[in-house]
Amino acid sequence: YASPKAREFFRRIKKSLQAKPPPPTTPIRYVRIYDPRPGAAWRSLLLPGWGHLYRGEKRFGYGVLGTTVVLASATVVFFVKGKSARDRYLAAKDPAEIARTYDTYNRYYHLRHASLYALGALWLAAYLDASFRPVKRIRATISSPAAGFGFGFTVSFR
């Protein structure tokens, strides 16, 4: 459906390309870019902060890890103290003592749940941050499988 002039133009281009010798083959080179986010994601899912340490964000990783330890410890402490406060509340006989021990038990109950919710929120935030926030350093390697050599370098984007 093309005009004879257009077909003639493409026939000449095809003929000129067939007349030239093929260019020498160059080895195929690969640039591999390593993305640490998948590894950081499952590490942060197991223990918040571990994924950030894996990504090379030491200050932030230790901060998240320390906050996780503090919140988990507070949850355990409030659970133990709340259990003993509950036992004292159930054992109380005097109405004034019942009100006082109930207030103590209720306070530990709320503190335990608040620290547990904060721990869950930190866990989720650390996982999402390690999974989706772009990395500051990209590690890339250039290699040529035909020649059998390779080298690596780090590119830092800030």
Side-chain angles (χ1 to χ4, degrees):
Y1 296 110
S3 72
K5 206 171 199 173
R7 284 193 285 176
E8 177 61 26
F9 173 73
F10 285 112
R11 187 192 60 75
R12 274 186 281 133
I13 291 175
K14 183 178 177 184
K15 191 175 183 181
S16 72
L17 288 175
Q18 288 174 343
K20 291 181 185 176
T25 58
T26 58
I28 299 172
R29 293 189 179 131
Y30 295 99
V31 176
R32 294 184 183 171
I33 297 177
Y34 172 74
D35 188 5
R37 289 182 291 185
W42 70 262
R43 282 173 174 82
S44 282
L45 193 59
L46 293 176
L47 182 65
W50 185 20
H52 293 91
L53 293 174
Y54 177 74
R55 285 173 51 144
E57 301 166 348
K58 295 198 184 300
R59 182 184 297 177
F60 191 73
Y62 285 126
V64 171
L65 193 59
T67 306
T68 301
V69 168
V70 166
L71 286 173
S73 300
T75 302
V76 170
V77 166
F78 292 142
F79 175 76
V80 170
K81 290 217 173 239
K83 189 168 172 26
S84 66
R86 182 178 185 272
D87 293 340
R88 283 193 308 273
Y89 164 67
L90 293 176
K93 302 293 183 208
D94 181 39
E97 186 182 359
I98 290 173
R100 185 177 46 80
T101 55
Y102 176 75
D103 288 340
T104 303
Y105 165 62
N106 195 31
R107 183 175 55 248
Y108 284 129
Y109 175 83
H110 288 293
L111 286 171
R112 179 185 74 202
H113 280 80
S115 63
L116 193 59
Y117 293 146
L119 179 62
L122 176 69
W123 211 299
L124 179 65
Y127 170 73
L128 292 175
D129 184 64
S131 300
F132 297 115
R133 188 167 47 92
V135 292
K136 291 184 180 179
R137 289 187 169 196
I138 296 174
R139 195 172 73 201
T141 58
I142 297 177
S143 64
S144 175
F149 71 92
F151 66 92
F153 65 92
T154 302
V155 179
S156 180
F157 295 101
R158 292 180 187 217

